[in-house]
PDB file of all heavy atoms in Angstrom:
ATOM      1  N   GLU A 409     -96.594-142.209-111.347  1.00 98.00           N
ATOM      2  CA  GLU A 409     -95.775-141.838-112.508  1.00 98.00           C
ATOM      3  C   GLU A 409     -96.386-140.636-113.231  1.00 98.00           C
ATOM      4  O   GLU A 409     -95.709-139.691-113.587  1.00 98.00           O
ATOM      5  CB  GLU A 409     -95.684-143.030-113.468  1.00 98.00           C
ATOM      6  CG  GLU A 409     -94.783-142.736-114.666  1.00 98.00           C
ATOM      7  CD  GLU A 409     -94.765-143.868-115.702  1.00 98.00           C
ATOM      8  OE1 GLU A 409     -95.843-144.435-115.976  1.00 98.00           O
ATOM      9  OE2 GLU A 409     -93.682-144.167-116.213  1.00 98.00           O
ATOM     10  N   ALA A 410     -97.730-140.688-113.410  1.00 98.00           N
ATOM     11  CA  ALA A 410     -98.403-139.591-114.110  1.00 98.00           C
ATOM     12  C   ALA A 410     -98.193-138.296-113.330  1.00 98.00           C
ATOM     13  O   ALA A 410     -97.952-137.232-113.923  1.00 98.00           O
ATOM     14  CB  ALA A 410     -99.883-139.910-114.237  1.00 98.00           C
ATOM     15  N   TYR A 411     -98.221-138.367-111.997  1.00 98.00           N
ATOM     16  CA  TYR A 411     -98.051-137.158-111.172  1.00 98.00           C
ATOM     17  C   TYR A 411     -96.693-136.562-111.385  1.00 98.00           C
ATOM     18  O   TYR A 411     -96.558-135.348-111.597  1.00 98.00           O
ATOM     19  CB  TYR A 411     -98.251-137.569-109.692  1.00 98.00           C
ATOM     20  CG  TYR A 411     -98.193-136.381-108.749  1.00 98.00           C
ATOM     21  CD1 TYR A 411     -99.343-135.696-108.367  1.00 98.00           C
ATOM     22  CD2 TYR A 411     -96.989-135.897-108.213  1.00 98.00           C
ATOM     23  CE1 TYR A 411     -99.305-134.624-107.509  1.00 98.00           C
ATOM     24  CE2 TYR A 411     -96.912-134.825-107.377  1.00 98.00           C
ATOM     25  CZ  TYR A 411     -98.109-134.187-107.008  1.00 98.00           C
ATOM     26  OH  TYR A 411     -98.048-133.121-106.164  1.00 98.00           O
ATOM     27  N   VAL A 412     -95.669-137.429-111.361  1.00 98.00           N
ATOM     28  CA  VAL A 412     -94.283-136.907-111.502  1.00 98.00           C
ATOM     29  C   VAL A 412     -94.104-136.355-112.935  1.00 98.00           C
ATOM     30  O   VAL A 412     -93.450-135.310-113.110  1.00 98.00           O
ATOM     31  CB  VAL A 412     -93.257-137.989-111.187  1.00 98.00           C
ATOM     32  CG1 VAL A 412     -91.861-137.503-111.478  1.00 98.00           C
ATOM     33  CG2 VAL A 412     -93.370-138.382-109.715  1.00 98.00           C
ATOM     34  N   LEU A 413     -94.669-137.033-113.941  1.00 98.00           N
ATOM     35  CA  LEU A 413     -94.549-136.537-115.312  1.00 98.00           C
ATOM     36  C   LEU A 413     -95.155-135.133-115.433  1.00 98.00           C
ATOM     37  O   LEU A 413     -94.602-134.288-116.152  1.00 98.00           O
ATOM     38  CB  LEU A 413     -95.189-137.501-116.300  1.00 98.00           C
ATOM     39  CG  LEU A 413     -94.407-138.811-116.492  1.00 98.00           C
ATOM     40  CD1 LEU A 413     -95.206-139.796-117.370  1.00 98.00           C
ATOM     41  CD2 LEU A 413     -93.026-138.566-117.097  1.00 98.00           C
ATOM     42  N   SER A 414     -96.196-134.890-114.726  1.00 98.00           N
ATOM     43  CA  SER A 414     -96.800-133.530-114.857  1.00 98.00           C
ATOM     44  C   SER A 414     -96.232-132.519-113.922  1.00 98.00           C
ATOM     45  O   SER A 414     -96.183-131.354-114.192  1.00 98.00           O
ATOM     46  CB  SER A 414     -98.336-133.591-114.795  1.00 98.00           C
ATOM     47  OG  SER A 414     -98.698-133.840-113.436  1.00 98.00           O
ATOM     48  N   HIS A 415     -95.714-132.956-112.715  1.00 98.00           N
ATOM     49  CA  HIS A 415     -95.216-131.978-111.720  1.00 98.00           C
ATOM     50  C   HIS A 415     -93.684-131.818-111.718  1.00 98.00           C
ATOM     51  O   HIS A 415     -93.162-130.925-111.063  1.00 98.00           O
ATOM     52  CB  HIS A 415     -95.660-132.368-110.308  1.00 98.00           C
ATOM     53  CG  HIS A 415     -97.130-132.132-110.095  1.00 98.00           C
ATOM     54  ND1 HIS A 415     -98.094-132.955-110.607  1.00 98.00           N
ATOM     55  CD2 HIS A 415     -97.800-131.179-109.424  1.00 98.00           C
ATOM     56  CE1 HIS A 415     -99.291-132.584-110.244  1.00 98.00           C
ATOM     57  NE2 HIS A 415     -99.148-131.453-109.546  1.00 98.00           N
ATOM     58  N   GLY A 416     -92.943-132.702-112.375  1.00 98.00           N
ATOM     59  CA  GLY A 416     -91.511-132.553-112.432  1.00 98.00           C
ATOM     60  C   GLY A 416     -90.814-132.929-111.122  1.00 98.00           C
ATOM     61  O   GLY A 416     -91.289-133.790-110.367  1.00 98.00           O
ATOM     62  N   GLU A 417     -89.696-132.257-110.801  1.00 98.00           N
ATOM     63  CA  GLU A 417     -88.865-132.577-109.607  1.00 98.00           C
ATOM     64  C   GLU A 417     -89.518-132.075-108.321  1.00 98.00           C
ATOM     65  O   GLU A 417     -90.037-130.937-108.313  1.00 98.00           O
ATOM     66  CB  GLU A 417     -87.489-131.895-109.750  1.00 98.00           C
ATOM     67  CG  GLU A 417     -86.458-132.721-110.507  1.00 98.00           C
ATOM     68  CD  GLU A 417     -86.143-134.080-109.869  1.00 98.00           C
ATOM     69  OE1 GLU A 417     -85.965-134.126-108.641  1.00 98.00           O
ATOM     70  OE2 GLU A 417     -86.148-135.075-110.597  1.00 98.00           O
ATOM     71  N   PRO A 418     -89.435-132.840-107.223  1.00 98.00           N
ATOM     72  CA  PRO A 418     -89.910-132.319-105.930  1.00 98.00           C
ATOM     73  C   PRO A 418     -88.961-131.194-105.441  1.00 98.00           C
ATOM     74  O   PRO A 418     -87.771-131.190-105.797  1.00 98.00           O
ATOM     75  CB  PRO A 418     -89.810-133.493-104.979  1.00 98.00           C
ATOM     76  CG  PRO A 418     -89.247-134.641-105.747  1.00 98.00           C
ATOM     77  CD  PRO A 418     -88.921-134.224-107.150  1.00 98.00           C
ATOM     78  N   GLN A 419     -89.517-130.321-104.635  1.00 96.00           N
ATOM     79  CA  GLN A 419     -88.754-129.164-104.163  1.00 96.00           C
ATOM     80  C   GLN A 419     -87.915-129.576-102.961  1.00 96.00           C
ATOM     81  O   GLN A 419     -88.468-130.131-101.970  1.00 96.00           O
ATOM     82  CB  GLN A 419     -89.750-128.067-103.742  1.00 96.00           C
ATOM     83  CG  GLN A 419     -89.101-126.691-103.601  1.00 96.00           C
ATOM     84  CD  GLN A 419     -90.090-125.766-102.877  1.00 96.00           C
ATOM     85  OE1 GLN A 419     -91.311-125.983-102.872  1.00 96.00           O
ATOM     86  NE2 GLN A 419     -89.551-124.782-102.216  1.00 96.00           N
ATOM     87  N   PRO A 420     -86.576-129.359-102.942  1.00 97.00           N
ATOM     88  CA  PRO A 420     -85.783-129.745-101.769  1.00 97.00           C
ATOM     89  C   PRO A 420     -86.141-128.890-100.571  1.00 97.00           C
ATOM     90  O   PRO A 420     -86.350-127.669-100.742  1.00 97.00           O
ATOM     91  CB  PRO A 420     -84.327-129.489-102.198  1.00 97.00           C
ATOM     92  CG  PRO A 420     -84.385-129.029-103.612  1.00 97.00           C
ATOM     93  CD  PRO A 420     -85.774-128.698-103.979  1.00 97.00           C
ATOM     94  N   ARG A 421     -86.220-129.490 -99.370  1.00 96.00           N
ATOM     95  CA  ARG A 421     -86.535-128.750 -98.157  1.00 96.00           C
ATOM     96  C   ARG A 421     -85.603-129.111 -97.028  1.00 96.00           C
ATOM     97  O   ARG A 421     -85.343-130.283 -96.824  1.00 96.00           O
ATOM     98  CB  ARG A 421     -87.980-129.079 -97.705  1.00 96.00           C
ATOM     99  CG  ARG A 421     -89.070-128.508 -98.571  1.00 96.00           C
ATOM    100  CD  ARG A 421     -90.372-128.439 -97.806  1.00 96.00           C
ATOM    101  NE  ARG A 421     -91.441-127.890 -98.663  1.00 96.00           N
ATOM    102  CZ  ARG A 421     -92.188-128.627 -99.455  1.00 96.00           C
ATOM    103  NH1 ARG A 421     -92.045-129.940 -99.480  1.00 96.00           N
ATOM    104  NH2 ARG A 421     -93.130-128.087-100.216  1.00 96.00           N
ATOM    105  N   SER A 422     -85.136-128.119 -96.289  1.00 97.00           N
ATOM    106  CA  SER A 422     -84.237-128.386 -95.151  1.00 97.00           C
ATOM    107  C   SER A 422     -84.965-129.020 -93.999  1.00 97.00           C
ATOM    108  O   SER A 422     -86.132-128.709 -93.705  1.00 97.00           O
ATOM    109  CB  SER A 422     -83.610-127.063 -94.684  1.00 97.00           C
ATOM    110  OG  SER A 422     -82.951-127.281 -93.456  1.00 97.00           O
ATOM    111  N   GLY A 423     -84.226-129.902 -93.275  1.00 96.00           N
ATOM    112  CA  GLY A 423     -84.809-130.507 -92.070  1.00 96.00           C
ATOM    113  C   GLY A 423     -84.604-129.681 -90.860  1.00 96.00           C
ATOM    114  O   GLY A 423     -85.131-129.966 -89.780  1.00 96.00           O
ATOM    115  N   ARG A 424     -83.736-128.627 -90.951  1.00 96.00           N
ATOM    116  CA  ARG A 424     -83.534-127.640 -89.864  1.00 96.00           C
ATOM    117  C   ARG A 424     -83.052-128.285 -88.551  1.00 96.00           C
ATOM    118  O   ARG A 424     -83.402-127.810 -87.475  1.00 96.00           O
ATOM    119  CB  ARG A 424     -84.805-126.852 -89.575  1.00 96.00           C
ATOM    120  CG  ARG A 424     -85.255-125.947 -90.667  1.00 96.00           C
ATOM    121  CD  ARG A 424     -84.636-124.545 -90.545  1.00 96.00           C
ATOM    122  NE  ARG A 424     -85.193-123.680 -91.562  1.00 96.00           N
ATOM    123  CZ  ARG A 424     -84.686-123.609 -92.812  1.00 96.00           C
ATOM    124  NH1 ARG A 424     -83.637-124.308 -93.159  1.00 96.00           N
ATOM    125  NH2 ARG A 424     -85.258-122.791 -93.681  1.00 96.00           N
ATOM    126  N   GLU A 425     -82.220-129.351 -88.651  1.00 97.00           N
ATOM    127  CA  GLU A 425     -81.807-130.026 -87.401  1.00 97.00           C
ATOM    128  C   GLU A 425     -81.079-129.097 -86.455  1.00 97.00           C
ATOM    129  O   GLU A 425     -81.321-129.092 -85.240  1.00 97.00           O
ATOM    130  CB  GLU A 425     -80.871-131.174 -87.740  1.00 97.00           C
ATOM    131  CG  GLU A 425     -81.617-132.476 -87.983  1.00 97.00           C
ATOM    132  CD  GLU A 425     -80.653-133.596 -88.357  1.00 97.00           C
ATOM    133  OE1 GLU A 425     -79.738-133.858 -87.523  1.00 97.00           O
ATOM    134  OE2 GLU A 425     -80.839-134.180 -89.430  1.00 97.00           O
ATOM    135  N   GLU A 426     -80.119-128.319 -86.995  1.00 97.00           N
ATOM    136  CA  GLU A 426     -79.305-127.466 -86.072  1.00 97.00           C
ATOM    137  C   GLU A 426     -80.172-126.433 -85.407  1.00 97.00           C
ATOM    138  O   GLU A 426     -79.994-126.111 -84.221  1.00 97.00           O
ATOM    139  CB  GLU A 426     -78.154-126.818 -86.848  1.00 97.00           C
ATOM    140  CG  GLU A 426     -77.121-127.813 -87.389  1.00 97.00           C
ATOM    141  CD  GLU A 426     -77.551-128.565 -88.630  1.00 97.00           C
ATOM    142  OE1 GLU A 426     -78.628-128.253 -89.183  1.00 97.00           O
ATOM    143  OE2 GLU A 426     -76.832-129.505 -89.044  1.00 97.00           O
ATOM    144  N   MET A 427     -81.111-125.882 -86.164  1.00 97.00           N
ATOM    145  CA  MET A 427     -82.007-124.882 -85.580  1.00 97.00           C
ATOM    146  C   MET A 427     -82.805-125.471 -84.442  1.00 97.00           C
ATOM    147  O   MET A 427     -82.960-124.851 -83.383  1.00 97.00           O
ATOM    148  CB  MET A 427     -82.958-124.330 -86.657  1.00 97.00           C
ATOM    149  CG  MET A 427     -83.822-123.212 -86.174  1.00 97.00           C
ATOM    150  SD  MET A 427     -85.182-122.883 -87.327  1.00 97.00           S
ATOM    151  CE  MET A 427     -86.369-124.116 -86.837  1.00 97.00           C
ATOM    152  N   LEU A 428     -83.257-126.703 -84.622  1.00 97.00           N
ATOM    153  CA  LEU A 428     -84.072-127.348 -83.581  1.00 97.00           C
ATOM    154  C   LEU A 428     -83.214-127.692 -82.367  1.00 97.00           C
ATOM    155  O   LEU A 428     -83.656-127.602 -81.218  1.00 97.00           O
ATOM    156  CB  LEU A 428     -84.772-128.560 -84.118  1.00 97.00           C
ATOM    157  CG  LEU A 428     -85.796-128.263 -85.230  1.00 97.00           C
ATOM    158  CD1 LEU A 428     -86.367-129.548 -85.817  1.00 97.00           C
ATOM    159  CD2 LEU A 428     -86.943-127.399 -84.717  1.00 97.00           C
ATOM    160  N   GLU A 429     -81.965-128.101 -82.626  1.00 96.00           N
ATOM    161  CA  GLU A 429     -81.054-128.357 -81.497  1.00 96.00           C
ATOM    162  C   GLU A 429     -80.818-127.086 -80.678  1.00 96.00           C
ATOM    163  O   GLU A 429     -80.840-127.090 -79.466  1.00 96.00           O
ATOM    164  CB  GLU A 429     -79.701-128.901 -82.001  1.00 96.00           C
ATOM    165  CG  GLU A 429     -79.793-130.364 -82.423  1.00 96.00           C
ATOM    166  CD  GLU A 429     -78.572-130.825 -83.217  1.00 96.00           C
ATOM    167  OE1 GLU A 429     -77.695-129.991 -83.523  1.00 96.00           O
ATOM    168  OE2 GLU A 429     -78.545-132.020 -83.542  1.00 96.00           O
ATOM    169  N   ASN A 430     -80.653-125.959 -81.390  1.00 97.00           N
ATOM    170  CA  ASN A 430     -80.514-124.685 -80.680  1.00 97.00           C
ATOM    171  C   ASN A 430     -81.732-124.322 -79.878  1.00 97.00           C
ATOM    172  O   ASN A 430     -81.654-123.816 -78.757  1.00 97.00           O
ATOM    173  CB  ASN A 430     -80.236-123.532 -81.677  1.00 97.00           C
ATOM    174  CG  ASN A 430     -78.934-123.747 -82.453  1.00 97.00           C
ATOM    175  OD1 ASN A 430     -78.139-124.612 -82.079  1.00 97.00           O
ATOM    176  ND2 ASN A 430     -78.708-122.936 -83.478  1.00 97.00           N
ATOM    177  N   LEU A 431     -82.856-124.637 -80.464  1.00 96.00           N
ATOM    178  CA  LEU A 431     -84.151-124.352 -79.785  1.00 96.00           C
ATOM    179  C   LEU A 431     -84.228-125.123 -78.457  1.00 96.00           C
ATOM    180  O   LEU A 431     -84.556-124.577 -77.425  1.00 96.00           O
ATOM    181  CB  LEU A 431     -85.302-124.752 -80.704  1.00 96.00           C
ATOM    182  CG  LEU A 431     -86.664-124.533 -80.116  1.00 96.00           C
ATOM    183  CD1 LEU A 431     -87.177-123.151 -80.521  1.00 96.00           C
ATOM    184  CD2 LEU A 431     -87.649-125.567 -80.573  1.00 96.00           C
ATOM    185  N   VAL A 432     -83.892-126.439 -78.516  1.00 96.00           N
ATOM    186  CA  VAL A 432     -83.938-127.221 -77.269  1.00 96.00           C
ATOM    187  C   VAL A 432     -82.947-126.639 -76.252  1.00 96.00           C
ATOM    188  O   VAL A 432     -83.245-126.502 -75.079  1.00 96.00           O
ATOM    189  CB  VAL A 432     -83.638-128.700 -77.581  1.00 96.00           C
ATOM    190  CG1 VAL A 432     -83.422-129.491 -76.287  1.00 96.00           C
ATOM    191  CG2 VAL A 432     -84.803-129.290 -78.382  1.00 96.00           C
ATOM    192  N   ASN A 433     -81.765-126.245 -76.718  1.00 97.00           N
ATOM    193  CA  ASN A 433     -80.792-125.649 -75.784  1.00 97.00           C
ATOM    194  C   ASN A 433     -81.347-124.411 -75.098  1.00 97.00           C
ATOM    195  O   ASN A 433     -81.048-124.152 -73.944  1.00 97.00           O
ATOM    196  CB  ASN A 433     -79.501-125.297 -76.548  1.00 97.00           C
ATOM    197  CG  ASN A 433     -78.523-126.433 -76.493  1.00 97.00           C
ATOM    198  OD1 ASN A 433     -78.772-127.440 -75.814  1.00 97.00           O
ATOM    199  ND2 ASN A 433     -77.412-126.313 -77.222  1.00 97.00           N
ATOM    200  N   ASP A 434     -82.134-123.616 -75.842  1.00 97.00           N
ATOM    201  CA  ASP A 434     -82.692-122.421 -75.224  1.00 97.00           C
ATOM    202  C   ASP A 434     -83.587-122.772 -74.012  1.00 97.00           C
ATOM    203  O   ASP A 434     -83.646-122.006 -73.076  1.00 97.00           O
ATOM    204  CB  ASP A 434     -83.574-121.670 -76.236  1.00 97.00           C
ATOM    205  CG  ASP A 434     -82.704-120.846 -77.210  1.00 97.00           C
ATOM    206  OD1 ASP A 434     -81.521-120.600 -76.863  1.00 97.00           O
ATOM    207  OD2 ASP A 434     -83.221-120.443 -78.281  1.00 97.00           O
ATOM    208  N   TYR A 435     -84.220-123.914 -74.097  1.00 97.00           N
ATOM    209  CA  TYR A 435     -85.107-124.293 -72.985  1.00 97.00           C
ATOM    210  C   TYR A 435     -84.346-124.856 -71.809  1.00 97.00           C
ATOM    211  O   TYR A 435     -84.861-124.970 -70.703  1.00 97.00           O
ATOM    212  CB  TYR A 435     -86.110-125.366 -73.466  1.00 97.00           C
ATOM    213  CG  TYR A 435     -87.241-124.820 -74.263  1.00 97.00           C
ATOM    214  CD1 TYR A 435     -87.146-124.729 -75.659  1.00 97.00           C
ATOM    215  CD2 TYR A 435     -88.410-124.398 -73.647  1.00 97.00           C
ATOM    216  CE1 TYR A 435     -88.199-124.197 -76.389  1.00 97.00           C
ATOM    217  CE2 TYR A 435     -89.487-123.906 -74.388  1.00 97.00           C
ATOM    218  CZ  TYR A 435     -89.355-123.792 -75.770  1.00 97.00           C
ATOM    219  OH  TYR A 435     -90.408-123.304 -76.487  1.00 97.00           O
TER     220      TYR A 435
END
Side-chain angles (χ1 to χ4, degrees):
E409 184 186 40
Y411 184 93
V412 174
L413 288 173
S414 72
H415 289 75
E417 273 300 314
Q419 196 194 335
R421 288 201 181 89
S422 168
R424 293 271 185 275
E425 272 178 57
E426 295 77 7
M427 185 193 84
L428 297 174
E429 285 167 355
N430 297 350
L431 179 93
V432 170
N433 269 354
D434 280 344
Y435 282 90

